């Protein structure tokens, strides 16, 4: 992240390109943005509930205390990102590439990660209830001190996945995790 970030507005978010800016305390509920490009951006206390963010390409993103509940982020690519204390209930990451991403203290209940490609992803102190990883690729993914309940892992392809410090309850597709 650049040392100095300028404040951005909702209009700049809706324009589709954000670079080296910070967005703070903005309500973007139900917004629709197609082809969003993000680089060197910090989101803090942003309300993105039920937003439609189509074909997002993000790198060097930090999102803190942001609400992504029911947000559609499918078919995108997120590289080198950190999500801290974010609410992500019902988020749609289906068919999204998540590489070098950390989720810390996030709530990912009912999240859709079907056919997503996760590489070098770390989940720390996150909750997953009825989250769906059907057909996802999980390479070097760590679930550290997480709680996963009724989470679906059917047909996942795994390499280097670590659940050792997490609690798994009623997991579906656990044979795919071998």
């Amino acid at each position: 992240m650049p040392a100095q970030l300028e404040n951005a507005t909702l209009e700049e978010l809706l324009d589709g390109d954000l670079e080296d800016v910070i967005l703070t305390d903005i309500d973007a509920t139900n917004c629709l943005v197609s082809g969003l490009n993000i680089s060197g951006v910090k989101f803090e206390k942003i309300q993105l509930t039920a937003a439609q963010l189509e074909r997002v390409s993000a790198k060097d993103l930090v999102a803190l205390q942001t609400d992504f509940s029911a947000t559609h982020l499918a078919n995108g690519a997120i590289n080198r990102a950190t999500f801290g204390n974010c609410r992500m209930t019902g988020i749609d990451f289906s068919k999204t590439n998540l590489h070098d991403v950390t989720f810390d203290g996030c709530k990912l209940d009912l999240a859709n990660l079907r056919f997503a490609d996760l590489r070098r992803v770390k989940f720390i102190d996150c909750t997953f209830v009825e989250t769906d990883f059907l057909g996802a690729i999980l390479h070097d993914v760590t679930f550290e001190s997480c709680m996963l309940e009724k989470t679906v892992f059917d047909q996942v392809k795994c390499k280097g996945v670590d659940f050792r410090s997490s609690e798994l309850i009623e997991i579906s597709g656990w044979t795919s995790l071998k």
Side-chain angles (χ1 to χ4, degrees), residues 129-149:
V129 177
E130 296 185 31
T131 302
D132 193 348
F133 286 92
L134 176 89
I137 297 170
L138 306 175
H139 281 209
D140 300 320
V141 176
T142 303
F143 294 84
E144 185 179 310
S145 300
C146 294
M147 196 280 292
L148 297 92
E149 184 175 349

Side-chain angles (χ1 to χ4, degrees), residues 6 10 61 67 87 100 111 114 172:
E6 294 185 25
L10 177 60
L61 168 68
D67 191 343
R87 185 167 178 240
D100 301 302
R114 287 177 163 231
S172 170

Side-chain angles (χ1 to χ4, degrees), residues 99-110:
H99 298 178
D100 301 302
V101 177
T102 299
F103 295 86
D104 190 352
C106 296
K107 185 176 180 82
L108 290 132
D109 298 345
L110 301 169

Side-chain angles (χ1 to χ4, degrees), residues 95 113-118 132-138 152-158 176:
K95 298 181 183 176
L113 288 118
R114 287 177 163 231
F115 304 102
D117 184 345
L118 287 73
D132 193 348
F133 286 92
L134 176 89
I137 297 170
L138 306 175
V152 175
F153 288 101
D154 292 323
Q155 302 172 28
V156 296
K157 295 177 183 159
C158 294
S176 296

Side-chain angles (χ1 to χ4, degrees), residues 17-151:
D17 290 314
L18 292 173
E19 186 172 346
D20 299 334
V21 295
I22 183 170
L23 286 108
T24 306
D25 294 317
I26 292 176
D27 187 350
T29 300
N30 294 317
C31 75
L32 171 60
V33 181
S34 185
L36 179 61
N37 294 307
I38 298 172
S39 179
V41 173
K42 183 177 181 181
F43 287 167
E44 192 164 6
K45 298 179 183 173
I46 303 299
Q47 189 74 274
L48 283 164
T49 306
Q52 298 290 316
L53 307 177
E54 299 175 0
R55 296 183 316 278
V56 170
S57 175
K59 65 179 180 180
D60 302 322
L61 168 68
V62 174
L64 303 174
Q65 299 173 356
T66 294
D67 191 343
F68 291 96
S69 297
T71 297
H72 178 81
L73 279 161
N75 299 308
I78 300 174
N79 297 295
R80 297 187 313 259
T82 299
F83 295 92
N85 297 314
C86 293
R87 185 167 178 240
M88 301 176 133
T89 300
I91 193 167
D92 185 355
F93 277 129
S94 61
K95 298 181 183 176
T96 297
N97 294 325
L98 298 164
H99 298 178
D100 301 302
V101 177
T102 299
F103 295 86
D104 190 352
C106 296
K107 185 176 180 82
L108 290 132
D109 298 345
L110 301 169
N112 179 357
L113 288 118
R114 287 177 163 231
F115 304 102
D117 184 345
L118 287 73
R119 297 177 191 267
R120 297 169 305 282
V121 174
K122 186 179 277 191
F123 296 100
I124 305 166
D125 292 321
C126 294
T127 62
F128 301 83
V129 177
E130 296 185 31
T131 302
D132 193 348
F133 286 92
L134 176 89
I137 297 170
L138 306 175
H139 281 209
D140 300 320
V141 176
T142 303
F143 294 84
E144 185 179 310
S145 300
C146 294
M147 196 280 292
L148 297 92
E149 184 175 349
K150 297 180 183 174
T151 302

